[in-house]
Amino acid sequence: MEEVRNFITAFLKAEVEASNASIKPTLEDYNQKLNFMNSFCVEELHNKFGMIPHNELKSEEFYERWKDEDSSNIRHIYKISHYKDDKYGEVYVAYISESNPDIEIFLYGECLFVACIDSELKIIKSYTFGDELLVKYKFEASEGLRDISFKTLKKPIHIERYLEPIDDKDSMEHYLKDI
């Protein structure tokens, strides 16, 4: 589980570096950092985390507006659940915060499915924690590989909890479940 947590942490660091580079007038650096971030994911998830490659710089006013901004915060990891899957073998689901989380507010934002593809760990699916009707937050909208989901996963064989998402009732309810 430590290897998966380190993999997720490395991805989240790459995401922050790409995000921070996106507000600097260095096009090549940004695209390289975005490509590195994408290397953690299957192709179906490339450019699906709010950033896309750029062919040209934005306006000078854009960079001027962001020049004194603090660096983004890395997402929180709340828990990782380990599953056995018939097709993908070992599958891990990491529950994380929204991007650039507040240091004082703890709530879910997404979850990432991780599996070994061609002998290396890859993020294979991403779910957003939300609800279009604002009735009850749950994991609904997903991107990534289509042949794996919460419905295809069975009962987890191990769960590690790291940080409680205490600032949202729905997040906390989900966090406490053995899923």
Side-chain angles (χ1 to χ4, degrees):
M1 196 75 97
E2 184 177 340
E3 178 185 6
V4 172
R5 185 174 182 188
N6 290 339
F7 172 81
I8 293 294
T9 299
F11 167 74
L12 297 176
K13 285 180 181 176
E15 178 186 40
V16 163
E17 289 178 10
S19 176
N20 290 335
S22 73
I23 59 172
K24 306 276 189 256
T26 51
L27 191 62
E28 186 177 330
D29 183 54
Y30 164 69
N31 284 330
Q32 286 176 349
K33 287 179 176 165
L34 179 61
N35 285 336
F36 179 65
M37 183 186 113
N38 283 334
S39 73
F40 288 82
C41 306
V42 294
E43 190 173 337
E44 290 84 349
L45 287 173
H46 287 189
N47 307 319
K48 300 291 184 180
F49 291 89
M51 292 175 275
I52 59 172
H54 293 292
N55 295 322
E56 57 187 46
L57 290 173
K58 296 180 181 177
S59 70
E60 286 182 35
E61 293 82 22
F62 173 84
Y63 299 109
E64 184 65 28
R65 186 171 9 125
W66 289 98
K67 74 176 182 172
D68 295 325
E69 263 318 291
D70 291 336
S71 295
S72 295
N73 297 318
I74 188 170
R75 294 183 196 235
H76 304 300
I77 301 174
Y78 295 107
K79 80 176 182 179
I80 300 175
S81 300
H82 177 197
Y83 297 85
K84 281 274 196 196
D85 181 71
D86 293 339
K87 180 171 183 178
Y88 293 100
E90 309 289 323
V91 175
Y92 301 86
V93 179
Y95 298 91
I96 60 176
S97 66
E98 296 176 331
S99 59
N100 194 20
D102 188 303
I103 298 171
E104 299 170 2
I105 297 175
F106 300 97
L107 49 98
Y108 278 178
E110 292 184 40
C111 74
L112 307 173
F113 284 39
V114 176
C116 203
I117 305 290
D118 297 329
S119 302
E120 64 180 331
L121 290 175
K122 291 286 185 181
I123 299 169
I124 62 172
K125 191 156 196 104
S126 171
Y127 277 89
T128 302
F129 194 65
D131 176 22
E132 289 182 16
L133 301 176
L134 302 176
V135 176
K136 182 165 185 67
Y137 287 119
K138 53 191 170 234
F139 289 103
E140 291 184 323
S142 69
E143 295 189 87
L145 300 182
R146 295 177 187 256
D147 60 352
I148 189 163
S149 68
F150 282 110
K151 292 178 182 174
T152 64
L153 294 177
K154 311 290 188 265
K155 185 177 178 181
I157 55 178
H158 182 67
I159 299 171
E160 286 188 7
R161 291 176 172 87
Y162 309 109
L163 181 66
E164 293 182 344
I166 56 176
D167 294 311
D168 177 67
K169 187 180 104 181
D170 294 337
S171 297
M172 197 60 197
E173 180 183 312
H174 186 277
Y175 174 84
L176 293 171
K177 290 181 181 178
D178 288 335
I179 53 176

